[in-house]
């Protein structure tokens, strides 16, 4: 589960969600279209605005990048919220197995389960943080 990227930046993932938001939930990123963003060779960091790398669908004319950017900035809070909630939901799915207690689990196992339950609750509460989705802090994942 990747959570170490810049949640405040405008990435190709957000551009892909914006395209779907503009046109249709039936459009699928990586199937109907591909988005990308330039990477600085020295730092490995994003070096510019995202762009449409390939447009594969024939049912919808390819939009201009500038139109997609404008739609993103006009609807930024909603699109960011959708993106961050999808990351949160993936993190919850990926930690389900940490809170299932086997009947023959050793006594020390319960402490670990409790830590995962706290983390999972923090994930559920994440959208209620002040300034969500712009300045929300990803909950700290337990070790293990």
């Amino acid at each position: 589960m990747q959570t170490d990227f810049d949640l405040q930046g405008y990435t190709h993932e957000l551009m892909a969600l914006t395209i779907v938001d503009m046109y249709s939930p039936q459009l699928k990123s990586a199937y109907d279209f591909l988005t990308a963003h330039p990477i600085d060779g020295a730092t490995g960091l994003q070096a510019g605005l995202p762009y449409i790398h390939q447009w594969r669908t024939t049912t919808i004319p390819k939009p201009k990048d500038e139109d997609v950017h404008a739609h993103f900035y006009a609807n930024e809070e909603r699109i960011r919220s959708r993106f961050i909630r999808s990351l949160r939901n993936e993190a919850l799915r990926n930690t389900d197995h940490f809170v299932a207690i086997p009947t023959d689990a050793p006594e020390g196992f319960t402490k670990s389960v409790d830590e995962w339950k706290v983390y999972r609750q923090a994930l559920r509460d994440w959208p209620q943080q002040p300034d969500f989705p712009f300045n929300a802090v990803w909950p700290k994942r337990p070790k293990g």
Side-chain angles (χ1 to χ4, degrees):
M1 173 73 209
Q2 180 182 2
T3 58
D4 58 348
F5 50 83
D6 180 9
L7 291 174
Q8 283 73 44
Y10 175 37
T11 64
H12 69 92
E13 293 99 337
L14 289 167
M15 185 178 199
L17 279 175
T18 303
I19 291 169
V20 171
D21 189 70
M22 289 173 71
Y23 293 103
S24 166
Q26 276 60 37
L27 278 179
K28 301 293 181 213
S29 177
Y31 180 78
D32 294 313
F33 62 91
L34 296 172
T35 56
H37 54 245
I39 301 292
D40 181 293
T43 66
L45 299 175
Q46 183 172 340
L49 289 174
Y51 58 91
I52 298 171
H53 179 66
Q54 286 185 351
W55 191 259
R56 298 175 177 165
T57 183
T58 58
T59 58
I60 298 171
K62 179 182 175 184
K64 294 179 181 175
D65 289 345
E66 297 76 26
D67 294 339
V68 179
H69 301 329
H71 185 85
F72 170 74
Y73 289 116
N75 300 280
E76 185 174 3
E77 183 173 356
R78 181 171 44 80
I79 293 168
R80 281 187 185 282
S81 293
R82 189 175 298 152
F83 177 61
I84 292 173
R85 286 173 198 272
S86 73
L87 295 174
R88 186 266 321 258
N89 293 345
E90 182 179 349
L92 285 168
R93 280 190 303 278
N94 289 338
T95 59
D96 284 343
H97 63 284
F98 287 118
V99 293
I101 304 174
T103 55
D104 61 345
E107 198 172 301
F109 186 77
T110 308
K111 181 177 185 268
S112 172
V113 169
D114 290 343
E115 290 172 358
W116 283 104
K117 285 181 179 178
V118 168
Y119 171 70
R120 289 167 55 85
Q121 187 59 54
L123 287 170
R124 288 186 193 94
D125 294 341
W126 196 28
Q128 282 73 48
Q129 289 184 29
D131 296 328
F132 179 86
F134 297 102
N135 294 312
V137 178
W138 188 268
K140 184 161 175 50
R141 181 182 165 108
K143 293 180 177 157

